[in-house]
Amino acid sequence: QVQLVESGGGSVQAGGSLRLSCAASGYIAGSYYMGWFRQAPGKEREVVATLDSDGGTVYADSVKGRFSISQDNAKNTLYLQMNSLKPEDTAMYYCAADPRHSWYILVRGMALYWGQGTQVTVSS
């Protein structure tokens, strides 16, 4: 059974940094498409960054140049390094994993496996 557990969220001032982690179990690291999503109060969930099984990455325009997605296969952990944080980055952040090797499935929020989320709050 695939399980995803996020950590690393917290409160930070604008301009600060956080690194989110997503510890995965139940599948072979690097074989799934992975992604980070976020949902702010009153807004729809949106994709933040994706990582395919070949190491390809895609970022939302709003986070390009500030966020970086990566994976440590030895630790079976997905990361999201967030720099130059802005108040509009405030949201619950979720990691997702899908074995079907489809960026379109992943980016539309239809991944099979999701974590429980970790809250990020950025104050001005």
Side-chain angles (χ1 to χ4, degrees):
Q1 182 178 358
V2 175
Q3 291 187 323
L4 305 173
V5 180
E6 302 98 333
S7 62
S11 297
V12 64
Q13 289 191 329
S17 298
L18 285 173
R19 188 177 78 158
L20 305 184
S21 298
C22 174
S25 61
Y27 70 98
I28 300 172
S31 64
Y32 280 28
Y33 276 33
M34 307 291 294
W36 285 99
F37 295 75
R38 66 186 181 187
Q39 186 168 21
K43 295 187 177 181
E44 293 187 353
R45 184 174 58 193
E46 62 177 356
V47 59
V48 175
T50 61
L51 175 69
D52 65 32
S53 56
D54 293 323
T57 58
V58 178
Y59 295 92
D61 287 343
S62 59
V63 306
K64 280 181 182 178
R66 300 189 298 122
F67 290 13
S68 177
I69 187 172
S70 62
Q71 181 166 270
D72 185 332
N73 289 344
K75 296 182 178 180
N76 219 8
T77 300
L78 181 74
Y79 300 102
L80 184 68
Q81 178 66 44
M82 306 186 295
N83 299 327
S84 302
L85 282 161
K86 304 176 181 180
E88 51 263 45
D89 295 319
T90 295
M92 183 72 78
Y93 283 72
Y94 301 89
C95 69
D98 195 273
R100 293 168 286 181
H101 287 205
S102 169
W103 181 84
Y104 294 98
I105 288 176
L106 184 66
V107 76
R108 282 161 175 74
M110 296 188 292
L112 290 179
Y113 306 107
W114 293 82
Q116 83 290 347
T118 186
Q119 177 68 39
V120 172
T121 302
V122 185
S123 58
S124 56

